[in-house]
Amino acid sequence: MPDKRRRTPMPIRIPKGLPALSTLEMEGVMVMDEEGPACRHHRPLRIGLLNLMPNKIDTETQIARLLGATPLQVELTLVKTSSYVPRNTSSEHIASFYRDWSDIREQKFDGFIITGAPIETMPFEAVAYWDELTHIFRWTQTNVHSCLNICWGAQAAMHYFHGMPRYLLDEKAFGVFRHHGLDNASPYLKGFPDDFHIPVSRWMEMRHVDIPPDSGISVLIDSPETGICLLNDPRHRALHIFNHIEYDATTLADEYFRDRNAGRSIHLPRNYFPEDCETRHPINRWRGHAHLLFGNWINRIFQTAPADLVTIGNE
């Protein structure tokens, strides 16, 4: 007989005092700080977040919300590069909640997330922390069981591991676009419909034709308008997602008004504001799919990661 017992949601453990705490609690996400007791039935899954986004507090909340909605206990460690000092978040916040990668490089993680960054059109080698990031990519192959790389982080990983080029778009891919799942058998797409929407915000793209034929990479999600979205890279135990399924309902609006007020060239996000009226509140059509993807990723880690954290990297 199948086990019909209700699976009680487990809390996400985050750094004590993190601003995301109050938002997550109001949304009903089970949260405990790092001083709370661990689950007695299974060790927490250790997830690291290398947060390269300028608004770090928003990104922390978005990622923690999705990790905290899974039925497994997750311990989140916030990580920053050691070679670059963030300028858009207070030094007090960084000092209170973030660990330098150089300080945690001897540790092992079940999962590791590398976010996007507002440096998309720069050559990779011109990025101030590129050398350190290449060390981090190599480190994930020995100290991390599974990686999730997002937007610029995904582009950087594909360039580093597979030498894939990027192409500058004629205009920014900006809005909410239809996407299709291409592999219903993939554990990462469990529960996904054939047709769904994902936010996109980028100036660059990578293309199907440049995926090395012997790489073992499979395309899990793509869009007829914006191209490849999600790649499975089993040889490097990684997922690469080029779009922002983690975004809040208002994140594209925030980016639009920020760029417009700064005098930058930016068009209205496509398929986003109701009737393209920028004064109307956007409708979030991707929240459920974001929870599915992160939940499937965490569940896959739970099913495949070693019980003993120390043996990660020796699989």
Side-chain angles (χ1 to χ4, degrees), residues 119-196:
I119 48 175
E120 189 183 10
T121 59
M122 291 178 61
F124 290 118
E125 291 73 14
V127 174
Y129 48 81
W130 178 249
D131 285 345
E132 183 177 7
L133 188 60
T134 62
H135 287 291
I136 293 173
F137 283 141
R138 288 196 294 274
W139 167 84
T140 64
Q141 302 304 288
T142 57
N143 288 61
V144 176
H145 179 68
S146 180
C147 287
L148 176 60
N149 303 309
I150 301 173
C151 200
W152 183 84
Q155 296 174 12
M158 289 297 294
H159 175 75
Y160 174 75
F161 286 118
H162 301 285
M164 279 187 56
R166 299 179 300 167
Y167 302 89
L168 181 65
L169 300 170
D170 293 333
E171 67 173 11
K172 186 176 184 179
F174 189 45
V176 180
F177 296 91
R178 290 179 60 193
H179 285 70
H180 305 294
L182 302 181
D183 184 1
N184 292 333
S186 170
Y188 301 111
L189 297 188
K190 183 179 179 181
F192 270 77
D194 294 334
D195 186 276
F196 45 91

Coordinates of all heavy atoms in Angstrom, one line a residue, residues 119-196:
I119 N 26.2 42.4 -15.4 CA 27.5 42.6 -16.2 C 27.4 41.8 -17.4 O 28.4 41.4 -18.0 CB 28.7 42.2 -15.3 CG1 28.5 40.8 -14.7 CG2 29.0 43.2 -14.2 CD1 29.7 40.2 -14.0
E120 N 26.2 41.6 -17.9 CA 26.0 40.6 -18.9 C 26.7 40.8 -20.2 O 27.2 39.9 -20.9 CB 24.5 40.5 -19.2 CG 24.1 39.3 -20.1 CD 22.6 39.3 -20.4 OE1 21.9 40.3 -20.1 OE2 22.1 38.3 -21.0
T121 N 26.8 42.1 -20.6 CA 27.5 42.3 -21.9 C 29.0 42.4 -21.9 O 29.6 42.6 -22.9 CB 26.9 43.6 -22.5 OG1 27.1 44.7 -21.6 CG2 25.4 43.5 -22.8
M122 N 29.5 42.4 -20.7 CA 31.0 42.4 -20.6 C 31.6 41.1 -21.0 O 31.0 40.0 -20.7 CB 31.4 42.7 -19.1 CG 31.1 44.1 -18.6 SD 31.6 44.3 -16.9 CE 33.3 44.0 -16.9
P123 N 32.8 41.1 -21.6 CA 33.5 39.8 -21.8 C 33.7 39.1 -20.4 O 34.0 39.8 -19.5 CB 34.8 40.2 -22.5 CG 34.5 41.6 -23.1 CD 33.5 42.2 -22.2
F124 N 33.6 37.8 -20.4 CA 33.8 37.1 -19.1 C 35.1 37.5 -18.5 O 35.2 37.7 -17.3 CB 33.7 35.6 -19.3 CG 32.3 35.2 -19.6 CD1 32.0 34.5 -20.8 CD2 31.3 35.3 -18.7 CE1 30.8 34.1 -21.1 CE2 30.0 34.9 -19.0 CZ 29.7 34.3 -20.2
E125 N 36.2 37.5 -19.3 CA 37.5 37.7 -18.7 C 37.7 39.1 -18.2 O 38.7 39.4 -17.5 CB 38.6 37.4 -19.8 CG 38.7 35.9 -20.2 CD 37.5 35.4 -21.0 OE1 36.7 36.2 -21.6 OE2 37.3 34.2 -21.2
A126 N 36.8 40.0 -18.6 CA 36.9 41.4 -18.1 C 36.2 41.6 -16.7 O 36.4 42.7 -16.1 CB 36.4 42.4 -19.1
V127 N 35.5 40.6 -16.3 CA 34.8 40.7 -15.0 C 35.8 40.7 -13.9 O 36.7 39.8 -13.8 CB 33.7 39.6 -14.9 CG1 33.1 39.6 -13.5 CG2 32.7 39.7 -16.0
A128 N 35.6 41.6 -12.9 CA 36.6 41.7 -11.8 C 36.8 40.4 -11.1 O 38.0 40.2 -10.6 CB 36.1 42.8 -10.9
Y129 N 35.8 39.6 -10.9 CA 36.0 38.4 -10.1 C 36.0 37.1 -11.0 O 35.7 36.0 -10.5 CB 34.9 38.3 -9.0 CG 33.5 38.6 -9.5 CD1 32.7 37.6 -10.2 CD2 32.9 39.8 -9.4 CE1 31.4 37.8 -10.7 CE2 31.6 40.0 -9.8 CZ 30.9 39.0 -10.5 OH 29.6 39.3 -10.9
W130 N 36.3 37.3 -12.3 CA 36.2 36.1 -13.1 C 37.2 35.0 -12.7 O 36.9 33.8 -12.7 CB 36.5 36.5 -14.6 CG 36.5 35.3 -15.5 CD1 37.6 34.8 -16.2 CD2 35.4 34.5 -15.9 NE1 37.2 33.7 -16.9 CE2 35.8 33.5 -16.8 CE3 34.0 34.5 -15.5 CZ2 35.0 32.5 -17.3 CZ3 33.2 33.5 -16.1 CH2 33.7 32.6 -16.9
D131 N 38.4 35.4 -12.4 CA 39.4 34.4 -12.0 C 38.9 33.6 -10.8 O 39.0 32.3 -10.7 CB 40.8 35.0 -11.7 CG 41.5 35.4 -12.9 OD1 41.1 35.0 -14.0 OD2 42.5 36.2 -12.8
E132 N 38.4 34.3 -9.8 CA 37.8 33.6 -8.6 C 36.6 32.7 -9.0 O 36.5 31.6 -8.5 CB 37.4 34.6 -7.5 CG 36.9 33.9 -6.3 CD 36.6 34.9 -5.2 OE1 36.6 36.1 -5.4 OE2 36.3 34.4 -4.1
L133 N 35.8 33.2 -9.9 CA 34.6 32.4 -10.3 C 35.1 31.1 -11.0 O 34.4 30.1 -10.8 CB 33.7 33.2 -11.2 CG 32.4 32.6 -11.5 CD1 31.6 32.3 -10.3 CD2 31.6 33.5 -12.5
T134 N 36.1 31.2 -11.8 CA 36.6 29.9 -12.4 C 37.1 28.9 -11.3 O 36.9 27.7 -11.5 CB 37.7 30.2 -13.4 OG1 38.8 30.8 -12.8 CG2 37.2 31.1 -14.5
H135 N 37.7 29.4 -10.3 CA 38.1 28.6 -9.2 C 36.8 28.0 -8.5 O 36.8 26.8 -8.1 CB 38.9 29.3 -8.1 CG 40.3 29.6 -8.6 ND1 41.3 28.7 -8.7 CD2 40.9 30.8 -8.9 CE1 42.4 29.2 -9.1 NE2 42.2 30.5 -9.2
I136 N 35.8 28.8 -8.4 CA 34.5 28.3 -7.8 C 33.9 27.2 -8.6 O 33.4 26.2 -8.1 CB 33.6 29.5 -7.5 CG1 34.1 30.4 -6.5 CG2 32.2 29.0 -7.1 CD1 33.3 31.7 -6.3
F137 N 33.9 27.4 -9.9 CA 33.3 26.4 -10.8 C 34.1 25.1 -10.7 O 33.5 24.0 -10.6 CB 33.4 26.8 -12.3 CG 32.4 27.8 -12.7 CD1 32.6 28.9 -13.5 CD2 31.1 27.7 -12.2 CE1 31.7 29.8 -13.9 CE2 30.1 28.6 -12.6 CZ 30.4 29.7 -13.5
R138 N 35.4 25.1 -10.6 CA 36.2 23.9 -10.4 C 35.9 23.3 -9.0 O 35.8 22.1 -8.9 CB 37.7 24.2 -10.5 CG 38.2 24.5 -12.0 CD 39.7 24.4 -12.1 NE 40.3 25.4 -11.4 CZ 40.6 26.7 -11.9 NH1 40.2 27.0 -13.1 NH2 41.2 27.6 -11.1
W139 N 35.8 24.1 -8.0 CA 35.5 23.7 -6.7 C 34.2 22.9 -6.6 O 34.0 22.0 -5.9 CB 35.5 24.9 -5.8 CG 35.0 24.7 -4.4 CD1 35.6 24.2 -3.3 CD2 33.6 25.1 -3.9 NE1 34.8 24.2 -2.2 CE2 33.6 24.7 -2.6 CE3 32.5 25.6 -4.6 CZ2 32.4 24.9 -1.8 CZ3 31.4 25.8 -3.8 CH2 31.3 25.5 -2.5
T140 N 33.2 23.4 -7.4 CA 31.9 22.7 -7.3 C 32.0 21.3 -7.8 O 31.1 20.4 -7.4 CB 30.8 23.4 -8.2 OG1 31.2 23.4 -9.6 CG2 30.6 24.9 -7.8
Q141 N 33.0 20.9 -8.5 CA 33.1 19.6 -9.0 C 33.7 18.6 -8.0 O 33.6 17.4 -8.2 CB 34.0 19.5 -10.3 CG 33.5 20.4 -11.4 CD 32.1 20.1 -11.8 OE1 31.9 19.0 -12.4 NE2 31.1 20.9 -11.5
T142 N 34.2 19.1 -6.9 CA 34.7 18.3 -5.8 C 34.0 18.5 -4.5 O 34.1 17.6 -3.6 CB 36.2 18.6 -5.6 OG1 36.4 20.0 -5.3 CG2 37.0 18.2 -6.9
N143 N 33.3 19.6 -4.4 CA 32.7 19.9 -3.0 C 31.2 20.1 -3.1 O 30.6 20.5 -2.0 CB 33.4 21.2 -2.5 CG 34.8 21.0 -2.0 OD1 35.7 20.6 -2.8 ND2 35.0 21.2 -0.8
V144 N 30.6 20.0 -4.2 CA 29.1 20.2 -4.3 C 28.5 19.0 -5.1 O 29.1 18.6 -6.1 CB 28.8 21.5 -5.1 CG1 27.4 21.7 -5.3 CG2 29.4 22.7 -4.3
H145 N 27.4 18.6 -4.6 CA 26.7 17.5 -5.3 C 25.9 17.9 -6.5 O 25.9 17.2 -7.5 CB 25.7 16.8 -4.3 CG 25.0 15.6 -4.9 ND1 25.6 14.5 -5.3 CD2 23.7 15.5 -5.2 CE1 24.7 13.6 -5.8 NE2 23.5 14.2 -5.8
S146 N 25.2 19.1 -6.4 CA 24.4 19.6 -7.6 C 24.4 21.1 -7.6 O 24.3 21.7 -6.5 CB 23.0 19.0 -7.5 OG 22.2 19.5 -8.6
C147 N 24.6 21.7 -8.8 CA 24.6 23.1 -8.9 C 23.4 23.6 -9.7 O 22.8 22.9 -10.6 CB 25.8 23.6 -9.7 SG 27.3 23.5 -8.7
L148 N 22.9 24.8 -9.4 CA 21.9 25.5 -10.2 C 22.4 26.9 -10.5 O 22.6 27.7 -9.6 CB 20.6 25.6 -9.3 CG 19.4 26.3 -10.0 CD1 19.0 25.7 -11.3 CD2 18.2 26.4 -9.0
N149 N 22.7 27.1 -11.8 CA 23.3 28.4 -12.2 C 22.2 29.1 -13.0 O 21.5 28.6 -13.8 CB 24.5 28.1 -13.2 CG 25.5 27.3 -12.5 OD1 25.9 27.6 -11.4 ND2 26.0 26.2 -13.1
I150 N 22.0 30.4 -12.6 CA 20.9 31.2 -13.1 C 21.4 32.4 -14.0 O 22.4 33.1 -13.6 CB 20.1 31.8 -11.9 CG1 19.6 30.6 -11.1 CG2 19.0 32.7 -12.4 CD1 18.9 31.1 -9.8
C151 N 20.8 32.6 -15.1 CA 21.0 33.7 -16.1 C 22.5 33.9 -16.3 O 23.1 33.1 -17.0 CB 20.4 35.0 -15.5 SG 20.1 36.2 -16.8
W152 N 23.1 35.0 -15.9 CA 24.5 35.2 -16.2 C 25.4 34.1 -15.6 O 26.4 33.7 -16.2 CB 25.0 36.6 -15.7 CG 26.5 36.8 -16.0 CD1 27.0 37.4 -17.2 CD2 27.6 36.5 -15.2 NE1 28.3 37.4 -17.2 CE2 28.8 36.9 -16.0 CE3 27.8 36.0 -14.0 CZ2 30.1 36.8 -15.5 CZ3 29.1 35.9 -13.5 CH2 30.2 36.3 -14.2
G153 N 25.0 33.6 -14.4 CA 25.7 32.5 -13.8 C 25.7 31.3 -14.7 O 26.7 30.5 -14.8
A154 N 24.6 31.0 -15.4 CA 24.4 29.9 -16.3 C 25.3 30.2 -17.6 O 26.0 29.2 -18.1 CB 23.0 29.7 -16.7
Q155 N 25.3 31.4 -18.1 CA 26.1 31.7 -19.3 C 27.6 31.5 -18.9 O 28.3 30.9 -19.7 CB 25.9 33.1 -19.7 CG 24.5 33.4 -20.2 CD 24.2 34.9 -20.5 OE1 25.2 35.7 -20.5 NE2 23.0 35.3 -20.7
A156 N 28.0 32.0 -17.8 CA 29.4 31.8 -17.4 C 29.8 30.4 -17.2 O 30.9 30.0 -17.6 CB 29.6 32.6 -16.0
A157 N 28.9 29.6 -16.6 CA 29.2 28.1 -16.4 C 29.3 27.4 -17.8 O 30.3 26.6 -18.0 CB 28.1 27.5 -15.6
M158 N 28.4 27.7 -18.7 CA 28.5 27.1 -20.0 C 29.7 27.5 -20.8 O 30.3 26.7 -21.6 CB 27.2 27.4 -20.8 CG 26.0 26.7 -20.3 SD 26.1 24.9 -20.4 CE 26.1 24.6 -22.2
H159 N 30.1 28.8 -20.6 CA 31.3 29.2 -21.3 C 32.5 28.6 -20.7 O 33.4 28.1 -21.4 CB 31.4 30.8 -21.1 CG 32.7 31.3 -21.7 ND1 33.0 31.5 -23.0 CD2 33.8 31.8 -21.0 CE1 34.2 32.0 -23.2 NE2 34.7 32.2 -22.0
Y160 N 32.6 28.5 -19.4 CA 33.8 27.9 -18.7 C 33.9 26.4 -19.0 O 35.0 25.9 -19.4 CB 33.7 28.2 -17.2 CG 34.8 27.5 -16.5 CD1 36.1 28.0 -16.5 CD2 34.6 26.3 -15.7 CE1 37.2 27.3 -15.9 CE2 35.6 25.6 -15.1 CZ 36.9 26.2 -15.2 OH 37.9 25.5 -14.5
F161 N 32.8 25.7 -18.8 CA 32.9 24.2 -18.9 C 32.8 23.7 -20.3 O 33.4 22.7 -20.7 CB 31.7 23.6 -18.1 CG 31.9 23.6 -16.6 CD1 30.9 24.3 -15.9 CD2 32.9 23.0 -16.0 CE1 31.1 24.3 -14.5 CE2 33.1 23.0 -14.6 CZ 32.1 23.7 -13.9
H162 N 32.2 24.5 -21.2 CA 31.9 23.9 -22.6 C 32.4 24.9 -23.7 O 32.2 24.6 -24.9 CB 30.5 23.6 -22.8 CG 29.9 22.6 -21.8 ND1 30.2 21.3 -21.9 CD2 29.2 22.8 -20.7 CE1 29.6 20.6 -20.9 NE2 29.0 21.5 -20.1
G163 N 32.9 26.1 -23.3 CA 33.4 27.0 -24.3 C 32.4 27.6 -25.2 O 32.6 28.1 -26.3
M164 N 31.1 27.6 -24.8 CA 30.0 28.1 -25.6 C 30.1 29.6 -25.7 O 30.3 30.3 -24.7 CB 28.7 27.7 -25.1 CG 28.3 26.3 -25.5 SD 26.7 25.7 -25.1 CE 25.6 27.0 -25.8
P165 N 29.8 30.2 -27.0 CA 29.8 31.6 -27.2 C 28.4 32.2 -26.8 O 27.5 31.5 -26.7 CB 30.1 31.8 -28.7 CG 29.5 30.5 -29.2 CD 29.7 29.4 -28.2
R166 N 28.4 33.5 -26.6 CA 27.2 34.2 -26.4 C 27.0 35.2 -27.6 O 27.9 35.6 -28.3 CB 27.2 35.1 -25.1 CG 27.4 34.2 -23.9 CD 27.4 35.2 -22.7 NE 28.5 36.1 -22.7 CZ 28.6 37.2 -21.9 NH1 27.7 37.4 -21.1 NH2 29.7 38.0 -22.1
Y167 N 25.7 35.6 -27.8 CA 25.4 36.5 -28.9 C 24.5 37.7 -28.3 O 23.6 37.5 -27.6 CB 24.5 35.8 -30.0 CG 25.3 34.6 -30.5 CD1 25.1 33.3 -29.9 CD2 26.1 34.7 -31.6 CE1 25.8 32.2 -30.4 CE2 26.8 33.6 -32.1 CZ 26.6 32.4 -31.5 OH 27.3 31.3 -32.1
L168 N 24.9 38.9 -28.7 CA 24.2 40.1 -28.3 C 22.9 40.2 -29.1 O 22.9 40.1 -30.3 CB 25.1 41.3 -28.5 CG 24.5 42.7 -28.1 CD1 24.2 42.7 -26.6 CD2 25.4 43.8 -28.5
L169 N 21.8 40.4 -28.4 CA 20.5 40.5 -29.1 C 20.3 42.0 -29.6 O 20.9 42.9 -29.1 CB 19.4 40.2 -28.1 CG 19.4 38.8 -27.5 CD1 18.4 38.7 -26.3 CD2 19.1 37.8 -28.6
D170 N 19.5 42.1 -30.6 CA 19.2 43.4 -31.2 C 18.5 44.3 -30.2 O 18.7 45.5 -30.2 CB 18.3 43.3 -32.5 CG 19.1 42.6 -33.6 OD1 20.3 42.7 -33.6 OD2 18.5 42.0 -34.5
E171 N 17.6 43.7 -29.4 CA 17.0 44.4 -28.3 C 16.9 43.4 -27.1 O 17.0 42.2 -27.3 CB 15.6 44.9 -28.6 CG 14.6 43.9 -28.9 CD 13.2 44.5 -29.0 OE1 13.1 45.7 -29.2 OE2 12.2 43.7 -29.0
K172 N 16.8 44.0 -25.9 CA 16.8 43.1 -24.7 C 15.6 42.2 -24.7 O 14.5 42.6 -25.0 CB 16.7 44.0 -23.5 CG 16.8 43.3 -22.2 CD 16.9 44.2 -21.0 CE 17.1 43.5 -19.7 NZ 17.2 44.4 -18.5
A173 N 15.8 40.9 -24.4 CA 14.7 40.0 -24.2 C 14.2 40.3 -22.8 O 14.8 40.0 -21.8 CB 15.2 38.5 -24.3
F174 N 13.0 40.9 -22.8 CA 12.5 41.5 -21.6 C 11.0 41.3 -21.5 O 10.2 41.9 -22.3 CB 12.9 42.9 -21.6 CG 12.7 43.7 -20.3 CD1 13.0 43.1 -19.1 CD2 12.1 44.9 -20.3 CE1 12.8 43.8 -17.9 CE2 11.9 45.6 -19.1 CZ 12.3 45.1 -17.9
G175 N 10.5 40.5 -20.5 CA 9.1 40.3 -20.4 C 8.8 38.9 -19.9 O 9.7 38.2 -19.3
V176 N 7.6 38.4 -20.1 CA 7.2 37.1 -19.7 C 6.8 36.3 -20.9 O 5.9 36.7 -21.7 CB 6.0 37.2 -18.7 CG1 5.6 35.8 -18.3 CG2 6.4 38.0 -17.5
F177 N 7.5 35.2 -21.2 CA 7.4 34.5 -22.5 C 6.9 33.1 -22.3 O 7.3 32.4 -21.3 CB 8.7 34.6 -23.3 CG 9.1 36.0 -23.6 CD1 9.9 36.7 -22.8 CD2 8.7 36.6 -24.8 CE1 10.3 38.0 -23.1 CE2 9.1 37.9 -25.2 CZ 9.9 38.6 -24.3
R178 N 6.2 32.6 -23.3 CA 5.8 31.2 -23.4 C 7.0 30.3 -23.5 O 7.9 30.5 -24.3 CB 4.8 30.9 -24.5 CG 3.5 31.6 -24.3 CD 2.6 31.3 -25.5 NE 2.4 29.8 -25.7 CZ 1.9 29.3 -26.8 NH1 1.5 30.0 -27.8 NH2 1.7 28.0 -26.8
H179 N 7.0 29.2 -22.7 CA 8.1 28.2 -22.8 C 7.4 26.8 -22.9 O 6.3 26.6 -22.6 CB 8.9 28.3 -21.5 CG 9.9 29.4 -21.5 ND1 9.4 30.7 -21.3 CD2 11.2 29.5 -21.6 CE1 10.5 31.6 -21.3 NE2 11.6 30.8 -21.5
H180 N 8.3 25.9 -23.4 CA 7.8 24.5 -23.5 C 8.8 23.5 -22.9 O 10.0 23.7 -23.0 CB 7.7 24.1 -25.0 CG 6.8 25.1 -25.8 ND1 5.5 25.2 -25.6 CD2 7.2 26.0 -26.8 CE1 5.0 26.1 -26.4 NE2 6.0 26.6 -27.2
G181 N 8.2 22.5 -22.2 CA 9.1 21.5 -21.7 C 9.4 20.5 -22.8 O 8.4 20.1 -23.5
L182 N 10.6 20.0 -22.9 CA 11.0 19.1 -24.0 C 11.3 17.7 -23.5 O 11.5 16.8 -24.4 CB 12.3 19.7 -24.6 CG 12.1 21.1 -25.2 CD1 13.5 21.5 -25.9 CD2 11.0 21.2 -26.2
D183 N 11.2 17.5 -22.2 CA 11.5 16.1 -21.7 C 10.6 15.8 -20.5 O 11.0 16.1 -19.4 CB 13.0 16.0 -21.4 CG 13.4 14.6 -20.9 OD1 12.5 13.7 -20.9 OD2 14.6 14.4 -20.6
N184 N 9.5 15.2 -20.8 CA 8.5 14.9 -19.7 C 9.1 13.9 -18.7 O 8.6 13.8 -17.6 CB 7.2 14.5 -20.3 CG 6.5 15.5 -21.1 OD1 6.6 16.7 -20.8 ND2 5.7 15.2 -22.0
A185 N 10.1 13.1 -19.2 CA 10.6 12.1 -18.3 C 11.7 12.6 -17.3 O 12.1 11.9 -16.4 CB 11.2 11.0 -19.1
S186 N 12.1 13.9 -17.5 CA 13.1 14.4 -16.6 C 12.6 14.6 -15.2 O 11.5 15.2 -15.0 CB 13.6 15.8 -17.2 OG 14.4 16.4 -16.2
P187 N 13.3 14.2 -14.2 CA 12.8 14.5 -12.8 C 12.7 15.9 -12.5 O 12.0 16.3 -11.6 CB 13.9 13.8 -12.0 CG 15.1 13.7 -12.8 CD 14.6 13.5 -14.2
Y188 N 13.5 16.8 -13.2 CA 13.4 18.2 -13.0 C 12.1 18.9 -13.5 O 11.8 20.0 -13.1 CB 14.6 18.9 -13.5 CG 15.9 18.4 -13.0 CD1 16.8 17.6 -13.8 CD2 16.3 18.6 -11.6 CE1 18.0 17.1 -13.2 CE2 17.4 18.0 -11.1 CZ 18.3 17.3 -11.9 OH 19.4 16.8 -11.4
L189 N 11.4 18.2 -14.4 CA 10.2 18.8 -15.0 C 9.0 18.0 -14.5 O 7.9 18.2 -15.1 CB 10.3 18.7 -16.5 CG 11.4 19.5 -17.2 CD1 11.2 19.5 -18.7 CD2 11.4 20.9 -16.7
K190 N 9.1 17.3 -13.4 CA 8.0 16.6 -12.9 C 6.9 17.6 -12.5 O 7.1 18.5 -11.8 CB 8.4 15.8 -11.6 CG 7.3 14.9 -11.0 CD 7.8 14.2 -9.8 CE 6.6 13.3 -9.2 NZ 7.1 12.6 -8.0
G191 N 5.7 17.3 -13.0 CA 4.5 18.2 -12.7 C 4.4 19.4 -13.6 O 3.4 20.1 -13.5
F192 N 5.3 19.6 -14.5 CA 5.2 20.8 -15.4 C 4.2 20.5 -16.5 O 4.2 19.4 -17.1 CB 6.6 21.1 -16.1 CG 7.4 22.0 -15.3 CD1 8.1 21.6 -14.2 CD2 7.6 23.3 -15.7 CE1 8.9 22.5 -13.5 CE2 8.4 24.2 -15.1 CZ 9.0 23.8 -13.9
P193 N 3.4 21.5 -16.9 CA 2.6 21.3 -18.1 C 3.5 21.5 -19.4 O 4.7 21.7 -19.3 CB 1.6 22.5 -18.0 CG 2.4 23.6 -17.3 CD 3.3 22.8 -16.3
D194 N 2.9 21.2 -20.5 CA 3.6 21.4 -21.8 C 3.9 22.8 -22.1 O 4.9 23.1 -22.9 CB 2.9 20.7 -22.9 CG 2.7 19.2 -22.8 OD1 3.6 18.6 -22.1 OD2 1.7 18.6 -23.3
D195 N 3.1 23.7 -21.6 CA 3.2 25.1 -22.0 C 3.1 26.0 -20.8 O 2.1 25.8 -20.0 CB 2.0 25.5 -23.0 CG 2.1 26.9 -23.6 OD1 1.7 27.8 -22.9 OD2 2.7 27.0 -24.7
F196 N 4.0 26.9 -20.6 CA 4.0 27.7 -19.3 C 4.8 29.0 -19.6 O 5.4 29.2 -20.7 CB 4.6 26.9 -18.2 CG 5.8 26.2 -18.5 CD1 7.1 26.8 -18.3 CD2 5.8 24.9 -19.0 CE1 8.2 26.1 -18.6 CE2 6.9 24.2 -19.3 CZ 8.2 24.8 -19.1

